[in-house]
Amino acid sequence: MSELLHAVLESEERSELRQFLHQLRQQQDKGYWLRNEILIAFDEYSNVHERKQSGPTTLLNKLIACTQEMIFENESVYFVLRFGIASEEAYRMSEELSIDPVPVRELLQLRDRTVNRSHPNEGDLLEIDFQPFYDYSPLVRDPKNIGRGVQFLNRYLSSKLFQYAQQWQKTLFQFLSLHRHDGVQLLINERIQSPQQLSVQVKRALQYVSNRSAEEAFTDLRFELQSMGFEPGWGNTAGRVWETLGLLDELLDSPDPQTLEAFLSRLPMIFRIVLVSVHGWFGQEGVLGRPDTGGQVVYVLDQARNLEKQLQEDLRLAGLEGSGIEPKVTILSRLIPNSDGTRCNEEMEKVYGTDNVWILRVPFREFNPDKTQNWISRFEIWGYLETYAIDAEKALLAQMQGRPDLILGNYTDGNLVAFLLARRLKVTHGIIAHALEKSKYLFSNLYWQDLEDQYHFSLQFTADLIAMNAADFVISSTYQEIVGTPDSPGQYESYRHFTMPELYHVIHGIELFSPKFNVVPPGVNESYFFPYTNTQDRLLDDIERLTDVVFTKDDPEHVFGRLDDPTKRPIFSMARLDRIKNLTGLAECFGKSPELQERCNLILVAGKLRIEETTDHEEATEIEKLYRTIDEYNLHGKVRWLGMRLSKGDSAEVYRIIADREGVFVQPALFEAFGLTVLESMITGLPTFATRFGGPLEIIQDRVSGFYVNPTQPEEMAEIILEFVSKCDQNPDYWNQVSQRAIARVYSTYTWKIHTTRLLSLARIYGFWNYTTKENNEREDMLRYIETLFHLLFKPRAKNLLQKHMGG
C-alpha cells in the first residue's frame, strides 16, 4: 500500500491531501481518527472545496477509502491502510512527506501514547505472540478459503499421509480398532489383526453384502459380518453397509480427501456432547429479557435439540439403533440459588421435546454467599471459573457416566471453561464466540483501565486469546465475523494485534489463516418460525389474541402508546433495550421522517417500560432515551411500545401478524454478531432491513432477499425503508416478491439440519486428525504457553476480582 501513498504524493492531488490533513489536524482535541470519521470528514472537505475529481477512481479517493485509521503525533501522521481481507499495513508520513513502514510494535506504542499510557520503559511491557506456534502448522493461503478450515486441513494432511501408504493404512487400522462405547466394540474386532488383513476382509465383506438386498436389515447380516471381523457401526441396511465399506476400500487402495471426509462423517465416533454456557439465566422459561440472557440461550437450546436428533439419525444409519447406545447432550451452565422464580436453581432440567438432553447446573463455590447465591454479571464472573471447571468436571462425569466425546464452549466464559475441561479430559473441543465484546465497545482495549471497574476487559480479552488459540476448532456464524470485509476488520481479526496499555501488547494474537476456523451458521427453530402463508399451522385464537395485543389492546401495565390509525403499514422491531441493539436509534430514524410517519406505524417489542423494573444501568438509560425520543419528535399515536417478553411461539406469531399486514422488520443494531431475529423474521416472510455492521451482511442479499441499513445514519435508513414502501405502493406484488425470496434464502442456507450435520462432520474429522497427530510437539508447546498465560496473567487478575467480591 506504500505505492498508493507514494502515487498520491507524486500526483496533482498531493496538495489536496496536505490540505485535508491540515483540516483534520486543526481539531486540537482529536488526534485519533477512525474510518467512518475520516470518510465523513473527507466528504465535507470535498463539498466545501468543490473538488472536481471527486469520483471513486482518483488516487486520493482510493487512499481515503482504504484508510482505517489516522493518528496525528507531533508533525507526523500515521496511516493504517486496509487493502483487502485480513491485510493491513501501517505507515508514517513525516512533515517532509517521506513515507516509512511502521512495525506492529511501534504502532502499539503509538496507540499507547495517544491515551497517555505509554510505558516509561517500553521494552519492559509483556508481549504476547502466538505466531511461532503457527509456523509449524498448515495455513490457508487464499483469504476466500478462511472459514473452510476442515476442508483445507483434510486436503493438506491427507496429502501428507497418503504419500506413505503403509503408514496411512496402519494409522487408519489403529483408529478403527479403537472404536468402542461403554465397553461395546464397534466397527472391527480382534479377528482383524493388521492393515493388510483389513483390506482383504473389506473386499470379502463387500462381495458378501453385494449379493444381499439393499434394504435387508443389518441384523440379518450381523453374525456373518462378525465372523469376518466387522462389528456394528457400518450401516443399518445391506445397502448402507456396502456404501460405507466401499468408502473404506477406496481409502485403503487409492485414498483421496473427499472420500476420507465422506467416510469419517459416517463413523459412530460421537455419543456424548457437552455445550458450555456458563453466564446468565440459562433456562427454558422466564429467562429471556433478564440481564446477560438472550439469543445465546435460544441458540444453545435449539442446537442441543437438533444435535440429539442428528446423533439419533446417525446412530440409526450406522445400524446401532436398539443396541442400547443412546446419545447424550448436556448443557453445562451455572446454578443460581436465588433464582427469582426461574428454574435456574435446579441442578438438572430436562430440555423439552428431547429424549436425553439435560441442562446441568453447577453452582459457583460460595466464596461470598451474598454474591454467589445470586445472578452475577458476565463481566464479573472471571474469578469463579477455574474452580467452577473443577466442580463441573466431577458433575459431568457423574451425569454422563463417562467422558464426553466433544465439548463446545459458548461466549468467552464458556470458552474458557471448555478449554479447562478439555485440557483435563483430553477431549476434542470447539468454541463459539456469539459476540466478542472487544468489537462491540469502541476503543475498549485502548481505554481498558477507565472501563475496568465496570467491564473487566483485561480478563475478558485475555480469556479470549486463551480460548481462541487453545481450541481445536472455532465455529463462526459468518465469514465476516472472522475477517470482516474488504473495508472493515472482523471480530476475530481485531485480536490479531492490539494493545492493553501498561498491561501487555499483543504482537500476534490469532492466526486468521489457521484451518481451525469454520463457518457453520445456526438455523431457525422451524417448529415455531415458519412462513405466514402456512395458515394450516397457525392457531386462530393466537392470531386474534396477539393482533389485539400488538395493535389495539389497552394495557398500561405492559403497553405504551395508542395508534391513531392501526391500519397503517407496520414497521416492527423486537430486541432488548440496550445501546448496541439501538431500538432508540430506530425511533429516532422514524421521528426524523414525517413521510414514514404519514404512511407507517412503528411497533417495538422491547422487554420493559419502566426504569424501576430493571437493575441494568444501560437498559434504564435506553428506556429514558426512548421516552425522550417519542416526546421530542411527537410520535404519540404513531408508536406502540410493548414492554413485555413474548414466548417463542408468540414471538413467531407476531412476526406473521406483521406479515399479514405487509409490514417490515427492522434490525437497527449498531453491531450484530450474527442476527437470529433476522433469520426469524425472514423465514416468516417479513421483508427485513438489517444493520450492515455484522452478520446480517452475509444473511441478507441486499435488495434481493432484504436490505442493508446503516444505523448510524438515521435519515438514510428512513429513506431506504421509504423507498421500499413506495415501490410496494406502486407495484402490489413487490412486497410478496421480497417476502418469498427471504423465505427461500433461509431454507437454502440457515437450517439446524444443515448446521448439525456440518458440525458433527467437522468434529469427527478434527478428532481423527488429532489422533493422527497426537505426537505433535508444537501443539503441546502452544498449550503450555497458553497455560502460562492463564496462570501468570489471567489467574492473578481473576483472584483480585474475586477478593473484591469477598468484600461484598
Side-chain angles (χ1 to χ4, degrees):
M1 290 305 290
S2 61
E3 293 85 355
L4 180 55
L5 268 170
H6 283 296
V8 172
L9 294 178
E10 292 168 3
S11 73
E12 296 178 355
E13 294 181 288
R14 168 181 172 142
S15 61
E16 287 194 89
L17 175 59
R18 296 193 71 161
Q19 193 170 355
F20 176 57
L21 295 177
H22 176 73
Q23 177 178 305
L24 297 185
R25 195 187 291 275
Q26 291 303 105
Q27 300 190 34
Q28 299 293 333
D29 60 336
K30 187 171 180 59
Y32 203 136
W33 293 76
L34 295 180
R35 183 173 189 271
N36 200 44
E37 299 169 318
I38 296 167
L39 291 176
I40 292 171
F42 188 66
D43 280 343
E44 292 173 353
Y45 168 83
S46 298
N47 291 332
V48 168
H49 293 274
E50 298 181 344
R51 295 181 66 230
K52 294 179 181 179
Q53 293 182 316
S54 58
T57 58
T58 73
L59 290 171
L60 182 54
N61 280 67
K62 287 181 179 179
L63 176 63
I64 298 300
C66 68
T67 301
Q68 294 293 305
E69 301 174 22
M70 283 185 190
I71 304 173
F72 292 88
E73 185 181 54
N74 300 324
E75 303 305 320
S76 297
V77 58
Y78 292 79
F79 291 81
V80 178
L81 305 178
R82 184 178 184 83
F83 53 95
I85 292 292
S87 299
E88 285 190 358
E89 295 175 2
Y91 296 93
R92 172 183 173 273
M93 180 188 293
S94 69
E95 188 179 21
E96 294 78 23
L97 302 185
S98 63
I99 304 296
D100 296 300
V102 179
V104 169
R105 284 181 177 85
E106 184 180 333
L107 179 63
L108 299 184
Q109 291 165 4
L110 169 68
R111 287 171 175 160
D112 288 354
R113 292 196 297 271
T114 63
V115 292
N116 298 316
R117 297 286 189 178
S118 180
H119 199 281
N121 298 305
E122 291 172 340
D124 293 341
L125 198 64
L126 172 65
E127 291 186 344
I128 297 175
D129 188 357
F130 282 95
Q131 181 62 60
F133 301 106
Y134 288 99
D135 288 343
Y136 301 97
S137 64
L139 298 178
V140 175
R141 292 183 179 180
D142 191 335
K144 73 173 180 291
N145 290 325
I146 293 173
R148 301 176 183 175
V150 73
Q151 295 98 316
F152 171 83
L153 184 69
N154 205 36
R155 287 195 306 270
Y156 177 86
L157 293 177
S158 297
S159 66
K160 293 288 186 184
L161 199 53
F162 294 164
Q163 292 174 15
Y164 307 98
Q166 288 187 338
Q167 178 60 38
W168 157 245
Q169 292 176 357
K170 180 182 177 182
T171 298
L172 188 56
F173 167 70
Q174 291 173 337
F175 181 70
L176 294 176
S177 301
L178 291 174
H179 281 75
R180 57 182 57 85
H181 181 72
D182 290 342
V184 178
Q185 184 65 40
L186 303 174
L187 298 177
I188 61 176
N189 58 39
E190 70 281 355
R191 291 184 176 89
I192 299 176
Q193 294 288 320
S194 68
Q196 294 76 21
Q197 191 179 4
L198 176 62
S199 181
V200 171
Q201 292 300 87
V202 166
K203 289 177 170 51
R204 183 180 165 200
L206 280 170
Q207 181 62 42
Y208 166 70
V209 175
S210 66
N211 292 325
R212 312 299 288 252
S213 168
E215 290 76 30
E216 190 170 356
F218 170 76
T219 50
D220 297 338
L221 320 171
R222 178 171 183 171
F223 294 113
E224 186 65 29
L225 287 172
Q226 265 186 331
S227 69
M228 299 181 197
F230 297 99
E231 293 293 336
W234 298 100
N236 60 329
T237 63
R240 181 82 177 180
V241 172
W242 182 84
E243 289 174 3
T244 310
L245 286 173
L247 291 170
L248 177 57
D249 186 48
E250 195 173 333
L251 283 174
L252 290 168
D253 290 345
S254 54
D256 67 79
Q258 292 76 23
T259 304
L260 179 60
E261 182 171 349
F263 177 69
L264 292 175
S265 297
R266 289 176 173 232
L267 292 188
M269 294 168 55
I270 298 176
F271 307 96
R272 302 184 182 106
I273 299 177
V274 177
L275 309 178
V276 188
S277 182
V278 180
H279 76 262
W281 302 81
F282 196 101
Q284 300 178 83
E285 297 173 348
V287 297
L288 293 181
R290 294 174 182 270
D292 290 346
T293 304
Q296 182 176 319
V297 172
V298 176
Y299 179 108
V300 174
L301 284 170
D302 285 347
Q303 185 185 56
R305 291 188 186 96
N306 286 278
L307 278 171
E308 182 188 55
K309 289 179 186 176
Q310 192 60 51
L311 287 172
Q312 290 171 337
E313 182 180 340
D314 290 349
L315 289 174
R316 179 183 63 79
L317 291 173
L320 296 175
E321 191 175 36
S323 66
I325 298 176
E326 295 292 337
K328 295 181 179 179
V329 179
T330 298
I331 300 168
L332 176 64
S333 192
R334 185 200 159 204
L335 187 146
I336 306 175
N338 294 337
S339 61
D340 194 24
T342 72
R343 297 181 65 182
C344 293
N345 62 338
E346 297 180 15
E347 182 181 355
M348 298 280 291
E349 181 183 350
K350 179 82 172 292
V351 174
Y352 305 147
T354 68
D355 294 326
N356 202 15
V357 179
W358 294 84
I359 302 171
L360 171 63
R361 300 189 182 93
V362 176
F364 287 165
R365 292 187 187 176
E366 287 198 357
F367 298 98
N368 177 355
D370 288 341
K371 290 284 187 181
T372 54
Q373 291 282 318
N374 301 296
W375 164 81
I376 300 173
S377 164
R378 72 183 189 276
F379 296 116
E380 298 275 338
I381 66 174
W382 309 108
Y384 302 95
L385 295 183
E386 185 179 18
T387 52
Y388 175 84
I390 294 169
D391 297 341
E393 179 187 0
K394 298 172 186 174
L396 277 171
L397 292 175
Q399 188 260 339
M400 300 193 101
Q401 299 181 318
R403 285 194 315 163
D405 303 301
L406 174 65
I407 297 175
L408 283 175
N410 291 270
Y411 194 74
T412 304
D413 49 14
N415 291 337
L416 186 68
V417 171
F419 155 66
L420 295 172
L421 286 171
R423 186 69 169 145
R424 292 169 64 91
L425 296 171
K426 301 190 185 308
V427 175
T428 299
H429 93 284
I431 65 168
I432 304 169
H434 292 288
L436 291 165
E437 303 290 351
K438 186 170 175 296
S439 303
K440 290 168 61 176
Y441 293 85
L442 191 63
F443 289 137
S444 51
N445 62 292
L446 204 56
Y447 292 97
W448 72 270
Q449 286 144 304
D450 300 330
L451 303 168
E452 190 71 356
D453 287 344
Q454 182 176 0
Y455 293 111
H456 303 285
F457 284 142
S458 68
L459 284 158
Q460 180 141 18
F461 300 165
T462 304
D464 281 330
L465 287 171
I466 289 170
M468 289 174 193
N469 287 285
D472 292 303
F473 61 89
V474 177
I475 296 296
S476 169
S477 295
T478 62
Y479 174 81
Q480 64 80 33
E481 187 179 332
I482 307 169
V483 287
T485 69
D487 297 328
S488 60
Q491 292 184 64
Y492 284 98
E493 188 177 358
S494 72
Y495 284 79
R496 201 180 205 181
H497 51 76
F498 64 94
T499 174
M500 301 286 282
E502 298 182 326
L503 181 62
Y504 57 69
H505 282 168
V506 177
I507 305 301
H508 192 99
I510 187 66
E511 179 51 71
L512 299 173
F513 289 82
S514 168
K516 70 171 57 185
F517 285 104
N518 292 271
V519 176
V520 187
V524 183
N525 188 329
E526 296 171 50
S527 300
Y528 295 98
F529 299 95
F530 51 82
Y532 78 103
T533 51
N534 293 8
T535 52
Q536 71 279 4
D537 297 321
R538 299 175 65 181
L539 299 176
L540 184 60
D541 288 348
D542 284 347
I543 295 173
E544 292 176 349
R545 171 177 60 86
L546 290 168
T547 298
D548 187 27
V549 169
V550 171
F551 293 104
T552 55
K553 184 178 180 181
D554 285 329
D555 182 2
E557 185 70 20
H558 299 104
V559 179
F560 174 82
R562 296 183 63 182
L563 299 177
D564 292 339
D565 182 0
T567 64
K568 288 181 182 178
R569 190 187 301 271
I571 297 172
F572 174 58
S573 193
M574 177 164 52
R576 188 169 177 270
L577 270 169
D578 63 32
R579 185 183 66 83
I580 296 295
K581 295 301 182 184
N582 194 40
L583 287 187
T584 53
L586 176 58
E588 182 183 2
C589 158
F590 187 68
K592 287 186 173 182
S593 176
E595 194 170 353
L596 261 188
Q597 297 170 43
E598 181 68 27
R599 300 165 76 170
C600 302
N601 289 318
L602 178 61
I603 297 174
L604 305 174
V605 175
K608 294 180 174 68
L609 291 179
R610 297 169 187 83
I611 296 171
E612 57 270 21
E613 293 174 353
T614 182
T615 58
D616 187 301
H617 173 73
E618 190 168 284
E619 186 174 38
T621 301
E622 290 297 297
I623 290 173
E624 280 187 331
K625 186 177 178 182
L626 186 51
Y627 280 120
R628 194 164 60 246
T629 303
I630 292 171
D631 288 339
E632 179 183 351
Y633 293 100
N634 191 24
L635 299 179
H636 300 281
K638 304 165 188 176
V639 171
R640 191 163 165 86
W641 170 6
L642 279 63
M644 59 182 68
R645 274 291 154 188
L646 301 174
S647 68
K648 191 179 295 187
D650 282 356
S651 295
E653 190 54 52
V654 168
Y655 284 123
R656 289 188 286 269
I657 287 168
I658 301 294
D660 288 335
R661 300 190 178 204
E662 296 196 349
V664 302
F665 179 79
V666 182
Q667 201 269 34
L670 298 174
F671 178 83
E672 181 60 65
F674 180 64
L676 193 57
T677 56
V678 173
L679 289 185
E680 292 171 352
S681 65
M682 289 174 69
I683 200 172
T684 55
L686 269 178
T688 299
F689 298 75
T691 178
R692 61 170 61 249
F693 302 123
L697 204 61
E698 286 179 45
I699 297 173
I700 288 173
Q701 300 152 303
D702 192 32
R703 299 183 179 272
V704 177
S705 56
F707 303 85
Y708 302 149
V709 293
N710 184 341
T712 67
Q713 303 292 323
E715 293 92 344
E716 177 190 290
M717 185 159 63
E719 288 175 9
I720 293 172
I721 300 171
L722 196 57
E723 179 186 358
F724 172 80
V725 171
S726 298
K727 285 186 177 180
C728 291
D729 291 342
Q730 296 163 12
N731 176 7
D733 196 42
Y734 182 62
W735 186 95
N736 185 60
Q737 291 170 4
V738 176
S739 171
Q740 292 304 310
R741 289 196 291 261
I743 294 169
R745 173 68 174 164
V746 177
Y747 278 126
S748 69
T749 312
Y750 298 100
T751 69
W752 280 112
K753 173 67 175 174
I754 296 171
H755 173 94
T756 53
T757 301
R758 189 68 194 134
L759 175 58
L760 290 174
S761 175
L762 68 88
R764 292 182 178 108
I765 293 167
Y766 277 101
F768 173 72
W769 288 118
N770 280 348
Y771 170 78
T772 65
T773 58
K774 60 185 176 183
E775 304 302 327
N776 188 329
N777 291 328
E778 287 78 24
R779 172 71 175 157
E780 183 61 26
D781 289 346
M782 179 191 279
L783 290 171
R784 291 293 186 187
Y785 182 68
I786 289 169
E787 286 179 335
T788 301
L789 292 178
F790 175 78
H791 286 288
L792 298 184
L793 182 59
F794 177 88
K795 194 170 176 178
R797 300 191 70 83
K799 186 177 180 180
N800 288 338
L801 177 58
L802 186 60
Q803 287 174 343
K804 291 181 181 179
H805 279 214
M806 292 285 285

